[in-house]
């Protein structure tokens, strides 16, 4: 399901843009460290109406896809 993955990445990027820069940086650091607990804590601070971001991140950490989280956070910062 490559399409699903591409959609997930696009959705992730768009929904990340709704979060403050400082939060995105923390998420990036947590993904670099593969720190599941920290990412879970960060997910708890996402507004409930941003369900796309919540579900995308949960599914990514369940599958240990830290690189995808880092790719998305880097794209948001345009690096």
């Amino acid at each position: 399901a490559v399409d699903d993955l591409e959609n997930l990445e696009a959705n992730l990027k768009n929904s990340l843009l709704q979060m403050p820069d400082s939060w995105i940086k923390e998420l990036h650091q947590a993904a670099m460290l593969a720190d599941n607990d920290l990412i879970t804590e960060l997910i708890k601070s996402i507004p409930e109406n941003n369900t796309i971001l919540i579900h995308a991140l949960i599914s990514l950490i369940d599958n240990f896809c830290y690189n995808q989280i880092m790719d998305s956070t880097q794209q948001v910062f345009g690096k």
Side-chain angles (χ1 to χ4, degrees):
V2 173
D3 283 352
D4 288 349
L5 212 54
E6 282 177 10
N7 285 339
L8 182 75
E9 282 189 359
N11 288 338
L12 182 59
K13 204 174 120 183
N14 290 334
S15 48
L16 272 173
L17 289 168
Q18 299 167 29
M19 298 300 291
D21 284 357
S22 56
W23 186 92
I24 298 169
K25 282 188 181 128
E26 276 192 70
L27 178 64
H28 184 78
Q29 291 293 115
M32 274 171 57
L33 299 168
D35 188 335
N36 241 349
D37 295 337
L38 182 53
I39 296 171
T40 304
E41 283 304 307
L42 288 166
I43 291 171
K44 287 178 186 165
S45 65
I46 301 170
E48 280 175 20
N49 61 0
N50 198 344
T51 48
I52 292 170
L53 184 56
I54 295 169
H55 292 303
L57 287 176
I58 289 170
S59 89
L60 287 170
I61 62 170
D62 281 350
N63 295 296
F64 306 104
C65 299
Y66 300 108
N67 285 339
Q68 266 186 274
I69 297 174
M70 288 188 284
D71 287 347
S72 299
T73 51
Q74 279 179 321
Q75 283 173 2
V76 170
F77 286 120
K79 286 175 187 156

